[in-house]
Amino acid sequence: MSAHEHWQMDASAPELYERYLVPAITSLWANDLLDRISPKRGESVLDIACGTGIVARLIEQRGQSARVVGLDLNTAMLAIARTKSAKVEWIEGSALDLPFAADSFNVVLCQLGLQFFPDRLLALKEMVRVLKPAGRAGFSVYSAIERTPAAYAFVQALDKCLGEEASRTKRSEHLSCDAEEIANWTKQAGFDFVDVAAVTKQIEFPSMLDYVRFQLTATPMAGLLKDKGAPKRERLITSISDDAASRLDHSMLAGGKLTFPQQSFVAIASLH
Protein backbone atom coordinates (compact mmCIF):
# COMPACT_ATOMS: atom_id res chain seq x y z
CA MET A 1 0.00 0.00 0.00
CA SER A 2 1.41 3.35 -1.00
CA ALA A 3 1.72 6.21 1.44
CA HIS A 4 -1.02 8.09 -0.44
CA GLU A 5 -3.52 5.26 -0.79
CA HIS A 6 -6.52 5.68 1.46
CA TRP A 7 -8.07 2.65 3.08
CA GLN A 8 -11.37 1.49 1.63
CA MET A 9 -13.57 1.03 4.69
CA ASP A 10 -16.61 -0.35 2.84
CA ALA A 11 -16.70 -3.77 4.50
CA SER A 12 -17.51 -5.49 7.78
CA ALA A 13 -15.17 -5.14 10.76
CA PRO A 14 -13.79 -8.71 10.40
CA GLU A 15 -13.15 -8.12 6.70
CA LEU A 16 -11.37 -4.85 7.44
CA TYR A 17 -9.37 -6.54 10.21
CA GLU A 18 -8.18 -9.17 7.76
CA ARG A 19 -7.54 -6.65 4.97
CA TYR A 20 -5.52 -4.14 6.96
CA LEU A 21 -4.57 -5.23 10.48
CA VAL A 22 -3.31 -8.68 9.51
CA PRO A 23 -0.73 -7.45 6.95
CA ALA A 24 0.30 -4.43 9.04
CA ILE A 25 0.61 -6.04 12.46
CA THR A 26 -0.55 -9.57 13.22
CA SER A 27 1.28 -11.33 10.38
CA LEU A 28 4.57 -9.92 11.71
CA TRP A 29 3.92 -11.33 15.17
CA ALA A 30 2.63 -14.61 13.72
CA ASN A 31 5.81 -15.27 11.78
CA ASP A 32 7.92 -14.31 14.79
CA LEU A 33 6.01 -16.74 17.02
CA LEU A 34 6.27 -19.59 14.53
CA ASP A 35 9.98 -19.00 13.98
CA ARG A 36 10.51 -19.29 17.74
CA ILE A 37 8.47 -22.43 18.34
CA SER A 38 9.21 -24.15 14.99
CA PRO A 39 6.43 -26.75 14.62
CA LYS A 40 7.99 -29.97 13.37
CA ARG A 41 6.90 -32.30 10.60
CA GLY A 42 3.96 -34.43 11.66
CA GLU A 43 3.04 -32.44 14.75
CA SER A 44 -0.53 -31.41 15.59
CA VAL A 45 -1.04 -27.71 16.32
CA LEU A 46 -3.84 -25.74 17.99
CA ASP A 47 -4.15 -21.96 17.51
CA ILE A 48 -6.29 -20.46 20.30
CA ALA A 49 -8.15 -17.16 19.81
CA CYS A 50 -7.23 -17.46 16.15
CA GLY A 51 -9.31 -14.53 14.85
CA THR A 52 -9.26 -14.64 11.07
CA GLY A 53 -6.61 -17.34 11.33
CA ILE A 54 -3.28 -15.88 10.28
CA VAL A 55 -1.22 -18.10 12.63
CA ALA A 56 -3.00 -21.31 11.64
CA ARG A 57 -2.86 -20.41 7.96
CA LEU A 58 0.87 -19.72 8.09
CA ILE A 59 1.45 -23.07 9.81
CA GLU A 60 -0.53 -24.82 7.10
CA GLN A 61 1.40 -22.95 4.40
CA ARG A 62 4.71 -24.04 5.91
CA GLY A 63 3.53 -27.59 5.30
CA GLN A 64 5.10 -29.28 8.33
CA SER A 65 2.17 -30.07 10.60
CA ALA A 66 -0.10 -33.09 10.31
CA ARG A 67 -3.13 -31.34 11.81
CA VAL A 68 -3.84 -27.63 12.28
CA VAL A 69 -6.83 -26.39 14.28
CA GLY A 70 -7.93 -22.78 14.76
CA LEU A 71 -10.31 -21.95 17.62
CA ASP A 72 -12.15 -18.71 18.38
CA LEU A 73 -15.35 -17.51 20.05
CA ASN A 74 -16.09 -14.97 17.31
CA THR A 75 -18.21 -16.52 14.57
CA ALA A 76 -17.69 -13.57 12.22
CA MET A 77 -13.91 -13.86 12.47
CA LEU A 78 -14.11 -17.61 11.86
CA ALA A 79 -16.27 -17.01 8.80
CA ILE A 80 -13.42 -15.00 7.28
CA ALA A 81 -10.91 -17.66 8.32
CA ARG A 82 -12.90 -20.37 6.54
CA THR A 83 -12.74 -18.44 3.28
CA LYS A 84 -8.93 -18.28 3.56
CA SER A 85 -8.18 -21.97 4.14
CA ALA A 86 -10.20 -25.15 3.77
CA LYS A 87 -7.36 -27.29 5.13
CA VAL A 88 -7.31 -25.83 8.65
CA GLU A 89 -10.00 -27.13 11.04
CA TRP A 90 -11.90 -24.05 12.23
CA ILE A 91 -13.79 -24.55 15.50
CA GLU A 92 -15.90 -22.16 17.57
CA GLY A 93 -15.02 -22.47 21.25
CA SER A 94 -13.63 -20.94 24.43
CA ALA A 95 -10.01 -20.80 25.53
CA LEU A 96 -11.27 -21.38 29.08
CA ASP A 97 -12.93 -24.70 28.20
CA LEU A 98 -11.14 -26.16 25.19
CA PRO A 99 -13.35 -28.68 23.36
CA PHE A 100 -10.57 -31.26 23.09
CA ALA A 101 -9.49 -34.30 25.06
CA ALA A 102 -6.33 -34.29 27.12
CA ASP A 103 -3.07 -35.00 25.27
CA SER A 104 -4.47 -33.89 21.89
CA PHE A 105 -1.76 -31.58 20.51
CA ASN A 106 1.99 -31.32 20.24
CA VAL A 107 1.91 -27.53 20.04
CA VAL A 108 -0.54 -24.90 21.32
CA LEU A 109 -0.30 -21.27 20.23
CA CYS A 110 -2.09 -18.09 21.25
CA GLN A 111 -1.10 -14.88 19.53
CA LEU A 112 -2.11 -11.60 21.19
CA GLY A 113 -5.13 -13.18 22.86
CA LEU A 114 -4.26 -14.05 26.44
CA GLN A 115 -4.67 -10.47 27.66
CA PHE A 116 -8.37 -10.58 26.75
CA PHE A 117 -9.26 -13.76 28.65
CA PRO A 118 -11.26 -13.21 31.87
CA ASP A 119 -9.23 -15.99 33.56
CA ARG A 120 -5.70 -16.11 32.15
CA LEU A 121 -4.49 -18.79 34.53
CA LEU A 122 -7.36 -21.09 33.57
CA ALA A 123 -6.58 -20.55 29.89
CA LEU A 124 -2.96 -21.54 30.49
CA LYS A 125 -4.06 -24.60 32.46
CA GLU A 126 -6.27 -25.60 29.54
CA MET A 127 -3.24 -25.35 27.26
CA VAL A 128 -1.38 -27.72 29.58
CA ARG A 129 -4.32 -30.15 29.65
CA VAL A 130 -4.59 -30.55 25.88
CA LEU A 131 -0.84 -30.80 25.29
CA LYS A 132 0.81 -34.17 24.83
CA PRO A 133 3.80 -35.11 27.00
CA ALA A 134 6.79 -32.95 26.04
CA GLY A 135 4.34 -30.59 24.32
CA ARG A 136 5.13 -26.94 23.68
CA ALA A 137 3.17 -23.72 23.85
CA GLY A 138 3.86 -20.29 22.44
CA PHE A 139 1.96 -17.13 23.14
CA SER A 140 2.40 -13.39 22.81
CA VAL A 141 0.83 -10.43 24.60
CA TYR A 142 1.27 -6.71 24.11
CA SER A 143 3.34 -5.13 26.87
CA ALA A 144 2.52 -1.84 28.61
CA ILE A 145 0.87 0.57 26.21
CA GLU A 146 3.59 3.16 26.82
CA ARG A 147 5.97 0.80 24.97
CA THR A 148 3.90 1.24 21.79
CA PRO A 149 4.00 5.01 21.11
CA ALA A 150 1.25 5.21 18.48
CA ALA A 151 -1.19 3.30 20.66
CA TYR A 152 -0.29 5.43 23.68
CA ALA A 153 -0.74 8.67 21.73
CA PHE A 154 -4.05 7.36 20.37
CA VAL A 155 -5.54 6.56 23.79
CA GLN A 156 -4.53 9.94 25.16
CA ALA A 157 -6.18 11.64 22.17
CA LEU A 158 -9.29 9.49 22.59
CA ASP A 159 -9.68 10.48 26.24
CA LYS A 160 -9.20 14.15 25.40
CA CYS A 161 -11.77 14.13 22.59
CA LEU A 162 -14.34 11.61 23.85
CA GLY A 163 -13.93 11.43 27.63
CA GLU A 164 -11.91 9.48 30.16
CA GLU A 165 -13.52 6.08 29.52
CA ALA A 166 -13.14 6.20 25.74
CA SER A 167 -9.77 4.48 25.70
CA ARG A 168 -10.66 1.59 28.02
CA THR A 169 -11.03 -0.97 25.21
CA LYS A 170 -7.75 -0.02 23.56
CA ARG A 171 -5.88 -0.01 26.84
CA SER A 172 -7.19 -3.52 27.58
CA GLU A 173 -5.13 -4.84 24.66
CA HIS A 174 -1.96 -4.22 26.69
CA LEU A 175 -0.69 -5.80 29.91
CA SER A 176 1.03 -3.67 32.52
CA CYS A 177 2.92 -6.61 34.06
CA ASP A 178 6.50 -7.61 33.34
CA ALA A 179 8.10 -10.71 31.82
CA GLU A 180 8.72 -12.29 35.22
CA GLU A 181 5.03 -12.13 36.11
CA ILE A 182 4.07 -13.79 32.83
CA ALA A 183 6.64 -16.54 33.48
CA ASN A 184 5.17 -17.05 36.95
CA TRP A 185 1.64 -17.46 35.56
CA THR A 186 2.93 -19.99 33.06
CA LYS A 187 4.70 -22.10 35.68
CA GLN A 188 1.73 -21.85 38.03
CA ALA A 189 -0.44 -23.30 35.26
CA GLY A 190 1.75 -26.40 35.10
CA PHE A 191 4.41 -25.76 32.50
CA ASP A 192 7.86 -27.06 33.45
CA PHE A 193 9.97 -24.63 31.43
CA VAL A 194 9.27 -21.14 30.12
CA ASP A 195 11.24 -18.39 28.43
CA VAL A 196 9.72 -14.92 28.05
CA ALA A 197 11.31 -12.36 25.74
CA ALA A 198 10.45 -8.69 25.23
CA VAL A 199 10.31 -8.33 21.45
CA THR A 200 9.88 -5.13 19.42
CA LYS A 201 8.65 -4.88 15.84
CA GLN A 202 8.47 -1.82 13.61
CA ILE A 203 4.89 -1.23 12.47
CA GLU A 204 3.96 0.88 9.46
CA PHE A 205 0.63 2.42 8.46
CA PRO A 206 -0.03 4.68 5.48
CA SER A 207 -0.68 7.59 7.88
CA MET A 208 -1.80 8.43 11.39
CA LEU A 209 -5.22 9.26 9.98
CA ASP A 210 -5.55 5.76 8.54
CA TYR A 211 -4.40 4.20 11.82
CA VAL A 212 -7.04 6.12 13.78
CA ARG A 213 -9.74 5.47 11.20
CA PHE A 214 -9.02 1.77 11.38
CA GLN A 215 -9.15 1.71 15.18
CA LEU A 216 -12.51 3.51 15.21
CA THR A 217 -14.10 1.63 12.32
CA ALA A 218 -12.83 -1.95 12.25
CA THR A 219 -12.39 -2.86 15.92
CA PRO A 220 -14.74 -2.99 18.95
CA MET A 221 -14.00 0.71 19.42
CA ALA A 222 -16.33 1.40 16.49
CA GLY A 223 -19.06 1.58 19.12
CA LEU A 224 -17.63 4.91 20.29
CA LEU A 225 -18.85 6.60 17.10
CA LYS A 226 -21.82 4.44 16.12
CA ASP A 227 -24.39 7.08 17.08
CA LYS A 228 -22.61 9.85 15.14
CA GLY A 229 -23.58 10.91 11.65
CA ALA A 230 -20.98 10.44 8.91
CA PRO A 231 -19.77 14.08 8.82
CA LYS A 232 -19.37 14.31 12.61
CA ARG A 233 -17.72 10.88 12.71
CA GLU A 234 -15.16 11.98 10.15
CA ARG A 235 -14.49 15.24 11.99
CA LEU A 236 -13.87 13.33 15.22
CA ILE A 237 -11.55 10.86 13.50
CA THR A 238 -9.57 13.76 12.05
CA SER A 239 -9.40 15.58 15.39
CA ILE A 240 -8.24 12.47 17.23
CA SER A 241 -5.66 11.78 14.51
CA ASP A 242 -4.29 15.32 14.68
CA ASP A 243 -4.06 15.21 18.46
CA ALA A 244 -2.37 11.78 18.47
CA ALA A 245 0.13 12.87 15.81
CA SER A 246 1.07 15.91 17.88
CA ARG A 247 2.16 13.57 20.70
CA LEU A 248 4.61 11.55 18.59
CA ASP A 249 8.22 12.14 17.70
CA HIS A 250 8.38 13.65 14.20
CA SER A 251 10.55 10.76 13.01
CA MET A 252 7.54 8.43 13.33
CA LEU A 253 5.60 10.58 10.86
CA ALA A 254 8.29 11.00 8.19
CA GLY A 255 7.05 11.10 4.63
CA GLY A 256 3.44 11.27 5.77
CA LYS A 257 3.54 7.65 6.93
CA LEU A 258 3.18 6.37 10.48
CA THR A 259 6.05 4.12 11.60
CA PHE A 260 6.41 3.13 15.23
CA PRO A 261 7.86 0.43 17.51
CA GLN A 262 5.47 -2.05 19.07
CA GLN A 263 6.53 -4.27 21.95
CA SER A 264 5.16 -7.64 22.98
CA PHE A 265 6.16 -10.32 25.42
CA VAL A 266 6.64 -13.62 23.59
CA ALA A 267 6.65 -16.74 25.74
CA ILE A 268 7.73 -20.24 24.77
CA ALA A 269 6.82 -22.90 27.34
CA SER A 270 7.10 -26.68 27.46
CA LEU A 271 6.28 -29.78 29.47
CA HIS A 272 8.62 -32.56 30.51
Side-chain angles (χ1 to χ4, degrees):
M1 182 182 299
S2 73
H4 303 292
E5 181 182 350
H6 287 291
W7 287 5
Q8 300 300 310
M9 307 301 280
D10 55 347
S12 70
E15 290 172 320
L16 295 171
Y17 176 96
E18 171 65 26
R19 187 186 301 173
Y20 297 123
L21 184 61
V22 169
I25 297 179
T26 61
S27 62
L28 277 68
W29 291 111
N31 277 302
D32 180 272
L33 187 61
L34 293 180
D35 288 345
R36 290 170 189 272
I37 204 161
S38 299
K40 298 177 176 60
R41 185 173 299 279
E43 289 188 322
S44 53
V45 184
L46 170 64
D47 176 22
I48 296 173
C50 67
T52 58
I54 184 59
V55 173
R57 284 150 42 197
L58 286 172
I59 296 168
E60 189 271 320
Q61 290 169 19
R62 292 186 181 203
Q64 297 291 314
S65 300
R67 180 191 184 197
V68 183
V69 179
L71 176 136
D72 203 283
L73 273 177
N74 191 309
T75 56
M77 289 288 205
L78 287 175
I80 300 296
R82 291 187 177 104
T83 69
K84 299 297 181 179
S85 175
K87 295 181 180 179
V88 175
E89 299 174 44
W90 304 109
I91 296 176
E92 185 176 342
S94 170
L96 306 186
D97 185 19
L98 295 174
F100 308 105
D103 305 337
S104 292
F105 298 94
N106 300 105
V107 177
V108 173
L109 301 169
C110 183
Q111 175 182 257
L112 304 174
L114 188 69
Q115 62 265 45
F116 297 114
F117 301 157
D119 191 332
R120 295 165 190 153
L121 182 59
L122 178 57
L124 289 167
K125 288 180 177 179
E126 278 290 277
M127 293 182 194
V128 171
R129 182 183 66 80
V130 302
L131 276 172
K132 296 180 180 182
R136 312 184 314 285
F139 61 90
S140 56
V141 294
Y142 289 136
S143 63
I145 197 167
E146 292 84 356
R147 305 297 298 174
T148 299
Y152 189 45
F154 171 62
V155 297
Q156 292 177 91
L158 266 184
D159 287 345
K160 180 179 177 181
C161 294
L162 298 178
E164 290 184 359
E165 290 296 306
S167 67
R168 183 174 57 181
T169 297
K170 183 65 178 177
R171 290 179 188 272
S172 72
E173 295 179 6
H174 296 258
L175 292 181
S176 58
C177 61
D178 58 18
E180 182 178 359
E181 188 172 351
I182 292 171
N184 289 339
W185 296 343
T186 308
K187 291 178 180 177
Q188 187 178 350
F191 284 98
D192 297 300
F193 306 102
V194 61
D195 177 73
V196 183
V199 182
T200 299
K201 299 287 184 186
Q202 286 296 121
I203 306 300
E204 182 177 301
F205 279 74
S207 68
M208 174 58 85
L209 181 62
D210 283 317
Y211 174 82
V212 171
R213 182 177 285 117
F214 171 82
Q215 297 292 334
L216 292 173
T217 307
T219 78
M221 284 180 290
L224 292 170
L225 302 183
K226 67 180 180 180
D227 60 342
K228 313 294 184 186
K232 185 172 183 180
R233 187 163 58 242
E234 189 60 28
R235 286 195 299 272
L236 282 169
I237 289 172
T238 300
S239 294
I240 293 165
S241 172
D242 290 344
D243 186 276
S246 73
R247 300 173 187 271
L248 291 178
D249 187 283
H250 293 308
S251 64
M252 297 182 192
L253 302 168
K257 294 183 179 181
L258 171 64
T259 306
F260 60 94
Q262 183 178 65
Q263 186 188 79
S264 293
F265 292 119
V266 182
I268 303 299
S270 61
L271 303 174
H272 281 310

